mmCIF file of all heavy atoms in Angstrom:
data_model
loop_
_atom_site.group_PDB
_atom_site.id
_atom_site.type_symbol
_atom_site.label_atom_id
_atom_site.label_comp_id
_atom_site.label_asym_id
_atom_site.label_seq_id
_atom_site.Cartn_x
_atom_site.Cartn_y
_atom_site.Cartn_z
ATOM 1 N N ASP T 1 0.091 -0.093 0.926
ATOM 2 C CA ASP T 1 0.747 -0.808 2.025
ATOM 3 C C ASP T 1 1.026 0.071 3.237
ATOM 4 O O ASP T 1 0.946 -0.399 4.370
ATOM 5 C CB ASP T 1 2.081 -1.407 1.556
ATOM 6 C CG ASP T 1 1.908 -2.555 0.586
ATOM 7 O OD1 ASP T 1 0.780 -3.082 0.464
ATOM 8 O OD2 ASP T 1 2.910 -2.926 -0.065
ATOM 9 N N ASN T 2 1.378 1.341 3.010
ATOM 10 C CA ASN T 2 1.880 2.185 4.094
ATOM 11 C C ASN T 2 1.097 3.465 4.351
ATOM 12 O O ASN T 2 1.509 4.271 5.174
ATOM 13 C CB ASN T 2 3.351 2.523 3.833
ATOM 14 C CG ASN T 2 4.188 1.266 3.789
ATOM 15 O OD1 ASN T 2 4.175 0.476 4.720
ATOM 16 N ND2 ASN T 2 4.885 1.054 2.688
ATOM 17 N N GLY T 3 0.025 3.685 3.634
ATOM 18 C CA GLY T 3 -0.794 4.868 3.870
ATOM 19 C C GLY T 3 -0.333 6.067 3.061
ATOM 20 O O GLY T 3 0.565 5.964 2.223
ATOM 21 N N PRO T 4 -0.967 7.227 3.314
ATOM 22 C CA PRO T 4 -0.663 8.441 2.547
ATOM 23 C C PRO T 4 0.839 8.720 2.490
ATOM 24 O O PRO T 4 1.578 8.440 3.431
ATOM 25 C CB PRO T 4 -1.396 9.541 3.322
ATOM 26 C CG PRO T 4 -2.517 8.817 4.002
ATOM 27 C CD PRO T 4 -1.951 7.462 4.359
ATOM 28 N N LEU T 5 1.250 9.257 1.359
ATOM 29 C CA LEU T 5 2.664 9.490 1.104
ATOM 30 C C LEU T 5 2.894 10.976 0.860
ATOM 31 O O LEU T 5 2.260 11.563 -0.013
ATOM 32 C CB LEU T 5 3.079 8.677 -0.133
ATOM 33 C CG LEU T 5 4.525 8.664 -0.550
ATOM 34 C CD1 LEU T 5 5.413 8.115 0.574
ATOM 35 C CD2 LEU T 5 4.692 7.803 -1.783
ATOM 36 N N GLN T 6 3.772 11.560 1.660
ATOM 37 C CA GLN T 6 4.086 12.970 1.471
ATOM 38 C C GLN T 6 4.829 13.141 0.156
ATOM 39 O O GLN T 6 5.759 12.398 -0.141
ATOM 40 C CB GLN T 6 4.918 13.503 2.625
ATOM 41 C CG GLN T 6 4.168 13.504 3.933
ATOM 42 C CD GLN T 6 5.010 14.036 5.081
ATOM 43 O OE1 GLN T 6 6.174 14.374 4.922
ATOM 44 N NE2 GLN T 6 4.413 14.107 6.244
ATOM 45 N N ARG T 7 4.380 14.141 -0.621
ATOM 46 C CA ARG T 7 4.968 14.335 -1.949
ATOM 47 C C ARG T 7 6.463 14.621 -1.897
ATOM 48 O O ARG T 7 7.212 14.188 -2.760
ATOM 49 C CB ARG T 7 4.231 15.445 -2.693
ATOM 50 C CG ARG T 7 2.877 14.970 -3.161
ATOM 51 C CD ARG T 7 2.094 15.943 -3.965
ATOM 52 N NE ARG T 7 2.868 16.932 -4.670
ATOM 53 C CZ ARG T 7 2.397 18.104 -5.055
ATOM 54 N NH1 ARG T 7 1.150 18.421 -4.816
ATOM 55 N NH2 ARG T 7 3.152 18.953 -5.706
ATOM 56 N N HIS T 8 6.913 15.334 -0.865
ATOM 57 C CA HIS T 8 8.328 15.703 -0.823
ATOM 58 C C HIS T 8 9.248 14.526 -0.469
ATOM 59 O O HIS T 8 10.458 14.651 -0.574
ATOM 60 C CB HIS T 8 8.564 16.892 0.116
ATOM 61 C CG HIS T 8 8.393 16.580 1.568
ATOM 62 N ND1 HIS T 8 7.166 16.584 2.183
ATOM 63 C CD2 HIS T 8 9.300 16.236 2.509
ATOM 64 C CE1 HIS T 8 7.320 16.267 3.454
ATOM 65 N NE2 HIS T 8 8.597 16.050 3.677
ATOM 66 N N VAL T 9 8.703 13.377 -0.091
ATOM 67 C CA VAL T 9 9.551 12.224 0.213
ATOM 68 C C VAL T 9 9.416 11.113 -0.835
ATOM 69 O O VAL T 9 9.925 10.005 -0.638
ATOM 70 C CB VAL T 9 9.275 11.652 1.638
ATOM 71 C CG1 VAL T 9 9.584 12.675 2.701
ATOM 72 C CG2 VAL T 9 7.875 11.122 1.749
ATOM 73 N N LEU T 10 8.766 11.415 -1.950
ATOM 74 C CA LEU T 10 8.583 10.406 -2.996
ATOM 75 C C LEU T 10 9.905 9.783 -3.435
ATOM 76 O O LEU T 10 10.029 8.565 -3.513
ATOM 77 C CB LEU T 10 7.888 11.009 -4.217
ATOM 78 C CG LEU T 10 6.385 11.115 -4.181
ATOM 79 C CD1 LEU T 10 5.890 11.851 -5.423
ATOM 80 C CD2 LEU T 10 5.738 9.767 -4.077
ATOM 81 N N SER T 11 10.884 10.626 -3.743
ATOM 82 C CA SER T 11 12.146 10.098 -4.286
ATOM 83 C C SER T 11 12.914 9.284 -3.250
ATOM 84 O O SER T 11 13.623 8.356 -3.607
ATOM 85 C CB SER T 11 13.013 11.216 -4.843
ATOM 86 O OG SER T 11 13.344 12.131 -3.827
ATOM 87 N N ARG T 12 12.763 9.604 -1.966
ATOM 88 C CA ARG T 12 13.433 8.818 -0.927
ATOM 89 C C ARG T 12 12.696 7.509 -0.665
ATOM 90 O O ARG T 12 13.307 6.508 -0.313
ATOM 91 C CB ARG T 12 13.542 9.612 0.371
ATOM 92 C CG ARG T 12 14.634 10.660 0.319
ATOM 93 C CD ARG T 12 14.760 11.356 1.623
ATOM 94 N NE ARG T 12 13.593 12.263 1.718
ATOM 95 C CZ ARG T 12 13.222 12.880 2.807
ATOM 96 N NH1 ARG T 12 13.862 12.699 3.940
ATOM 97 N NH2 ARG T 12 12.195 13.694 2.803
ATOM 98 N N THR T 13 11.392 7.516 -0.845
ATOM 99 C CA THR T 13 10.583 6.322 -0.589
ATOM 100 C C THR T 13 10.621 5.359 -1.766
ATOM 101 O O THR T 13 10.743 4.150 -1.587
ATOM 102 C CB THR T 13 9.129 6.726 -0.294
ATOM 103 O OG1 THR T 13 9.127 7.640 0.805
ATOM 104 C CG2 THR T 13 8.277 5.527 0.045
ATOM 105 N N LEU T 14 10.498 5.902 -2.957
ATOM 106 C CA LEU T 14 10.452 5.077 -4.170
ATOM 107 C C LEU T 14 11.798 5.160 -4.882
ATOM 108 O O LEU T 14 11.909 5.682 -5.990
ATOM 109 C CB LEU T 14 9.309 5.533 -5.074
ATOM 110 C CG LEU T 14 7.923 5.476 -4.428
ATOM 111 C CD1 LEU T 14 6.874 6.105 -5.317
ATOM 112 C CD2 LEU T 14 7.544 4.057 -4.089
ATOM 113 N N THR T 15 12.816 4.625 -4.247
ATOM 114 C CA THR T 15 14.164 4.683 -4.805
ATOM 115 C C THR T 15 14.221 3.915 -6.121
ATOM 116 O O THR T 15 13.445 2.993 -6.355
ATOM 117 C CB THR T 15 15.193 4.089 -3.818
ATOM 118 O OG1 THR T 15 14.824 2.750 -3.524
ATOM 119 C CG2 THR T 15 15.243 4.913 -2.533
ATOM 120 N N GLY T 16 15.123 4.344 -6.966
ATOM 121 C CA GLY T 16 15.296 3.681 -8.257
ATOM 122 C C GLY T 16 14.448 4.288 -9.360
ATOM 123 O O GLY T 16 14.588 3.904 -10.513
ATOM 124 N N LEU T 17 13.567 5.205 -9.013
ATOM 125 C CA LEU T 17 12.770 5.899 -10.027
ATOM 126 C C LEU T 17 13.282 7.331 -10.156
ATOM 127 O O LEU T 17 13.526 7.996 -9.148
ATOM 128 C CB LEU T 17 11.288 5.928 -9.640
ATOM 129 C CG LEU T 17 10.555 4.590 -9.601
ATOM 130 C CD1 LEU T 17 9.137 4.785 -9.068
ATOM 131 C CD2 LEU T 17 10.515 3.966 -10.983
ATOM 132 N N SER T 18 13.435 7.784 -11.377
ATOM 133 C CA SER T 18 13.900 9.149 -11.605
ATOM 134 C C SER T 18 12.784 10.136 -11.249
ATOM 135 O O SER T 18 11.621 9.754 -11.112
ATOM 136 C CB SER T 18 14.291 9.337 -13.071
ATOM 137 O OG SER T 18 13.128 9.297 -13.892
ATOM 138 N N ARG T 19 13.146 11.404 -11.138
ATOM 139 C CA ARG T 19 12.129 12.440 -10.877
ATOM 140 C C ARG T 19 11.081 12.451 -11.986
ATOM 141 O O ARG T 19 9.901 12.644 -11.739
ATOM 142 C CB ARG T 19 12.780 13.812 -10.748
ATOM 143 C CG ARG T 19 13.471 13.993 -9.445
ATOM 144 C CD ARG T 19 14.061 15.386 -9.334
ATOM 145 N NE ARG T 19 14.743 15.490 -8.077
ATOM 146 C CZ ARG T 19 14.576 16.486 -7.238
ATOM 147 N NH1 ARG T 19 13.780 17.470 -7.543
ATOM 148 N NH2 ARG T 19 15.218 16.499 -6.103
ATOM 149 N N GLN T 20 11.537 12.253 -13.211
ATOM 150 C CA GLN T 20 10.611 12.226 -14.342
ATOM 151 C C GLN T 20 9.637 11.059 -14.204
ATOM 152 O O GLN T 20 8.442 11.212 -14.438
ATOM 153 C CB GLN T 20 11.373 12.121 -15.662
ATOM 154 C CG GLN T 20 10.467 12.110 -16.869
ATOM 155 C CD GLN T 20 11.240 12.030 -18.176
ATOM 156 O OE1 GLN T 20 12.459 12.018 -18.186
ATOM 157 N NE2 GLN T 20 10.519 11.975 -19.270
ATOM 158 N N GLN T 21 10.128 9.897 -13.828
ATOM 159 C CA GLN T 21 9.257 8.736 -13.641
ATOM 160 C C GLN T 21 8.269 8.981 -12.504
ATOM 161 O O GLN T 21 7.105 8.598 -12.603
ATOM 162 C CB GLN T 21 10.081 7.482 -13.357
ATOM 163 C CG GLN T 21 10.854 6.983 -14.555
ATOM 164 C CD GLN T 21 11.822 5.881 -14.183
ATOM 165 O OE1 GLN T 21 12.531 5.969 -13.182
ATOM 166 N NE2 GLN T 21 11.849 4.840 -15.000
ATOM 167 N N LEU T 22 8.725 9.613 -11.430
ATOM 168 C CA LEU T 22 7.837 9.917 -10.305
ATOM 169 C C LEU T 22 6.775 10.939 -10.705
ATOM 170 O O LEU T 22 5.598 10.784 -10.351
ATOM 171 C CB LEU T 22 8.642 10.431 -9.110
ATOM 172 C CG LEU T 22 9.512 9.395 -8.422
ATOM 173 C CD1 LEU T 22 10.440 10.056 -7.410
ATOM 174 C CD2 LEU T 22 8.652 8.327 -7.762
ATOM 175 N N ARG T 23 7.186 11.980 -11.440
ATOM 176 C CA ARG T 23 6.211 12.974 -11.920
ATOM 177 C C ARG T 23 5.176 12.299 -12.812
ATOM 178 O O ARG T 23 3.985 12.558 -12.707
ATOM 179 C CB ARG T 23 6.922 14.092 -12.692
ATOM 180 C CG ARG T 23 7.435 15.198 -11.811
ATOM 181 C CD ARG T 23 7.826 16.431 -12.630
ATOM 182 N NE ARG T 23 8.753 16.141 -13.710
ATOM 183 C CZ ARG T 23 10.070 16.134 -13.595
ATOM 184 N NH1 ARG T 23 10.638 16.403 -12.443
ATOM 185 N NH2 ARG T 23 10.834 15.875 -14.627
ATOM 186 N N HIS T 24 5.676 11.433 -13.694
ATOM 187 C CA HIS T 24 4.757 10.741 -14.582
ATOM 188 C C HIS T 24 3.798 9.841 -13.806
ATOM 189 O O HIS T 24 2.599 9.812 -14.067
ATOM 190 C CB HIS T 24 5.498 9.895 -15.611
ATOM 191 C CG HIS T 24 4.559 8.980 -16.311
ATOM 192 N ND1 HIS T 24 3.639 9.434 -17.206
ATOM 193 C CD2 HIS T 24 4.330 7.664 -16.155
ATOM 194 C CE1 HIS T 24 2.899 8.411 -17.610
ATOM 195 N NE2 HIS T 24 3.302 7.337 -16.983
ATOM 196 N N ALA T 25 4.320 9.079 -12.862
ATOM 197 C CA ALA T 25 3.477 8.158 -12.093
ATOM 198 C C ALA T 25 2.391 8.915 -11.334
ATOM 199 O O ALA T 25 1.234 8.493 -11.323
ATOM 200 C CB ALA T 25 4.327 7.333 -11.130
ATOM 201 N N THR T 26 2.743 10.036 -10.724
ATOM 202 C CA THR T 26 1.722 10.799 -9.994
ATOM 203 C C THR T 26 0.738 11.459 -10.955
ATOM 204 O O THR T 26 -0.467 11.466 -10.700
ATOM 205 C CB THR T 26 2.351 11.852 -9.060
ATOM 206 O OG1 THR T 26 3.213 12.707 -9.806
ATOM 207 C CG2 THR T 26 3.128 11.187 -7.932
ATOM 208 N N ALA T 27 1.235 11.971 -12.076
ATOM 209 C CA ALA T 27 0.328 12.584 -13.061
ATOM 210 C C ALA T 27 -0.611 11.542 -13.654
ATOM 211 O O ALA T 27 -1.823 11.781 -13.791
ATOM 212 C CB ALA T 27 1.125 13.278 -14.162
ATOM 213 N N ALA T 28 -0.074 10.387 -14.003
ATOM 214 C CA ALA T 28 -0.908 9.319 -14.562
ATOM 215 C C ALA T 28 -1.900 8.833 -13.521
ATOM 216 O O ALA T 28 -3.078 8.613 -13.828
ATOM 217 C CB ALA T 28 -0.035 8.167 -15.043
#
């Protein structure tokens, strides 16, 4: 929807997901 996403703003952009969930989502 919004184009490339800077890795350092993942947690601010995808609120409600823990760091572990974000790490998993990017790794998967």
Side-chain angles (χ1 to χ4, degrees):
D1 290 346
N2 299 305
L5 184 59
Q6 295 180 358
R7 286 183 25 203
H8 70 276
V9 298
L10 277 175
S11 61
R12 284 183 286 168
T13 304
L14 301 173
T15 58
L17 294 174
S18 69
R19 284 182 182 229
Q20 181 179 358
Q21 290 171 316
L22 290 170
R23 274 194 307 272
H24 168 71
T26 55

